[in-house]
Each structure stands twice: as structure tokens, then as C-alpha cells.
Amino acid sequence: MSFFGFSSSCTVDIQFSESARRLVEIKSEGTIQKIPLFFSKDNVKGKVIVNIPAGKRIEHNGCKLELIGQIEMFYDRGNHYEFTSVVKELASASILSSSIEYPFEFNDIDKQYESHNGINVRLRYFLRFVIDVKKALTNIVKESDFWVYNHQTEPEINNSIKMEVGIEEALHIEFEYNKSKYHLRDVVIGKIYFLLVRIKIKHMEIALIRRESTGSGPNLYNENETLTKFEIMDGAPARGESIPIRLFLSGFDLTPTYRNVHGKFSVRYYLNLVLVDEDDRRYFKQQEIMLWRKG
């Protein structure tokens, strides 16, 4: 850790209290990090350990610890948008000449949004410890991330999805999904009914798509990510035939649906049904589903 001349003066470690707390694996810039998981109402507590080598000393104006919730847009890296910021003063001005521990606890901090590590946006929670060093070009700073999940209540209304699509006098199909809102370990169950088939269909496939939207107006960016795609029918269907659909969501790295998080981004999920004819023309119908995190 380099502190512009203070790299040999001290090292700082931020430790969260519960050693048995679950860790989540997060991919970041080609590496996988394991960071502690908290839920929205959990208190964040632990200790900051400052190790001072023998014979070294640091004269400072104070030490503080910040809990920060922040949104970072990857196309706008110079600007970070803080939606939560709480500061605790851990020490007043003094001279550090030996190692010391500072216990901390942040209570009743409303962590209203879930952490998110997307294609164009990141929502992160972290602790930032700062020693305001006297007569120095820069302060001593140490950051430590933690991850946040929010349990949600089961939707009171969860209607099935029924739609008819087709091409006039050539194709008429009806598809049905058992519900419109699914928890992250749920199973999507549905059926496709062929009411009229006058084109030569080669096969049919279904895909689960995640769409991340950032910005607004002319600066709106949409990124689609196909999480899975598989064939549900091979060969031409007959009129009156029905094809079952069963998709287990637990096998994928999913988040809940996010709508307009702090006015900066949204994440939505879609089921995309695709029919391919013998001339490789593709006919598709996309349907949004809502995902939620079960407690």
C-alpha cells in the first residue's frame, strides 16, 4: 500500500466482526473477489487495525471512517453518485507511535439498494478509513467493500401471462407462462400452442435475456446479455400441437429486477421465444418477467 512516502509508516486493515458471515464472489476487471455479504437492515461493525512499525510515528489531525453507497457509470468514470454517506470520527488529533485498533459500528443505516456489478454500471457499498496526516501531500486511505442483498416480500398479485402472436394466414400461436413474477430460484413453466401452421418451421428456441439500461434520453444505453438459450422443439409442429416449457432459474447468476435505481439505471429480464423456418428466417416474441429475491 503506497501512501506517497508513508508506505513504510503503517499498514491498515479493516475487519468486519462476524467471521462466519457469508462471502460472495464478485468478478471485477478479470479477477474474482470474495467480499462479505450484508442484508439491508444489518448493522455494519468491526474494527480498523493500524499497524505502526517500531520506531515509526505518524502525526495526524484525526482519523475517520465513512460508510458510502455509490453508483459508478463506466462511461462516466470521473463522476460518482453517492446516495448514502455516514461519517464516524474515530480519533482526534494525536501522534501514532504504536499499533492501535479502532472498533466501529454503523447502526440503522438504510441500505435501500442492492449491490450491482453490471456491464456499464456498478453500485457499491464500502468503508473508507482516512488518517489526516499533518504536513503531508496526501492522507492515508484504506477502502474495503461489502455486498448488500435486499429480501423482498412475495408479490400479492402474480397473474399468468397469455398472449397470441402470428402472421396473417400463415402462423398463429398462443403461449402461456404460469406467472409473471418469479423469485431467483423459481421455475418458469409454460406451454406453446400451435393454432395455425402454414410455414415450414425448423425449430424453436427460448432465451433468458438481461437488459441493463443506464442514463436517460439521448444518453440512454441498453446492453442485452443472453444468460441462456436452448432449443425446445426440433422439426415442424402440427396444428393443435403444444410444446411444454420448463426453465430452472437457480442455475443462473441473477439479480432481482431493478427499476430506475436512484434515477441512474435499471435491470430487467425477458423471455425471448424464437421460431426459425427452413429459410432461416426468424420470428420472435419477447415478454418481460419480474424477478424478486425471496427471504
Side-chain angles (χ1 to χ4, degrees):
M1 184 184 301
S2 176
F3 297 122
F4 289 85
F6 292 95
S7 57
S8 60
S9 297
C10 76
T11 59
V12 177
D13 186 30
I14 300 175
Q15 295 183 359
F16 296 94
S17 286
E18 298 89 343
S19 59
R21 181 173 291 277
R22 177 183 165 189
L23 301 177
V24 293
E25 292 187 351
I26 305 301
K27 294 180 182 178
S28 177
E29 299 180 354
T31 62
I32 295 179
Q33 296 178 302
K34 291 185 177 181
I35 63 177
L37 172 66
F38 289 79
F39 292 93
S40 57
K41 301 301 181 183
D42 288 350
N43 294 335
V44 180
K45 57 184 179 180
K47 59 185 176 181
V48 179
I49 304 172
V50 182
N51 293 304
I52 309 291
K56 300 291 183 179
R57 64 201 299 269
I58 298 174
E59 188 175 0
H60 66 86
N61 296 312
C63 303
K64 66 179 181 180
L65 184 66
E66 301 170 86
L67 187 154
I68 297 171
Q70 174 175 284
I71 296 174
E72 302 171 3
M73 316 296 275
F74 295 158
Y75 59 82
D76 188 16
R77 290 182 179 271
N79 292 319
H80 297 157
Y81 304 94
E82 290 187 4
F83 56 86
T84 294
S85 180
V86 182
V87 180
K88 285 188 178 295
E89 301 293 336
L90 299 184
S92 55
S94 65
I95 296 175
L96 294 176
S97 57
S98 60
S99 298
I100 189 170
E101 295 184 2
Y102 299 110
F104 66 84
E105 184 167 1
F106 291 92
N107 296 324
D108 302 320
I109 305 299
D110 185 16
K111 298 173 284 297
Q112 59 180 316
Y113 304 127
E114 282 207 353
S115 300
H116 178 67
N117 194 27
I119 297 173
N120 282 327
V121 63
R122 175 168 69 159
L123 190 152
R124 64 186 287 236
Y125 291 89
F126 61 99
L127 298 179
R128 178 190 289 151
F129 175 72
V130 180
I131 301 178
D132 182 5
V133 183
K134 283 187 177 180
K135 301 177 182 178
L137 295 176
T138 186
N139 295 327
I140 296 174
V141 180
K142 171 70 174 181
E143 292 183 355
S144 185
D145 282 72
F146 61 95
W147 204 255
V148 172
Y149 282 165
N150 284 338
H151 285 150
Q152 297 164 294
T153 57
E154 184 171 354
E156 292 183 6
I157 300 174
N158 196 352
N159 297 323
S160 62
I161 298 172
K162 293 183 180 181
M163 293 190 69
E164 293 185 13
V165 295
I167 303 169
E168 188 175 356
E169 297 184 356
L171 178 68
H172 185 190
I173 64 174
E174 182 180 275
F175 65 87
E176 178 180 351
Y177 300 114
N178 62 327
K179 49 189 175 181
S180 55
K181 301 170 184 176
Y182 298 87
H183 64 76
L184 301 185
R185 303 187 66 81
D186 216 335
V187 182
V188 178
I189 298 173
K191 279 189 177 182
I192 310 294
Y193 301 95
F194 290 88
L195 305 178
L196 176 65
V197 184
R198 289 180 179 169
I199 59 176
K200 295 181 179 180
I201 296 175
K202 186 166 59 175
H203 67 265
M204 181 166 58
E205 61 191 29
I206 192 169
L208 177 62
I209 295 172
R210 174 163 52 211
R211 178 176 299 159
E212 180 185 89
S213 303
T214 54
S216 61
N219 297 318
L220 178 66
Y221 297 87
N222 287 319
E223 289 283 355
N224 289 337
E225 181 182 3
T226 300
L227 304 177
T228 187
K229 181 173 65 173
F230 60 93
E231 193 174 275
I232 58 175
M233 184 195 72
D234 185 19
R239 179 180 177 180
E241 189 172 354
S242 66
I243 305 296
I245 296 173
R246 189 176 293 266
L247 173 60
F248 292 86
L249 298 179
S250 59
F252 309 104
D253 183 18
L254 303 175
T255 70
T257 295
Y258 304 141
R259 300 186 188 277
N260 197 28
V261 176
H262 205 64
K264 299 300 179 184
F265 72 96
S266 300
V267 177
R268 291 180 165 90
Y269 291 87
Y270 298 85
L271 294 173
N272 196 38
L273 184 67
V274 181
L275 286 82
V276 182
D277 69 14
E278 291 186 343
D279 296 321
D280 285 330
R281 289 176 297 199
R282 302 171 72 85
Y283 311 89
F284 65 91
K285 182 64 179 178
Q286 197 169 88
Q287 175 64 46
E288 183 176 4
I289 58 173
M290 194 196 90
L291 300 186
W292 57 282
R293 189 178 300 282
K294 189 176 182 179

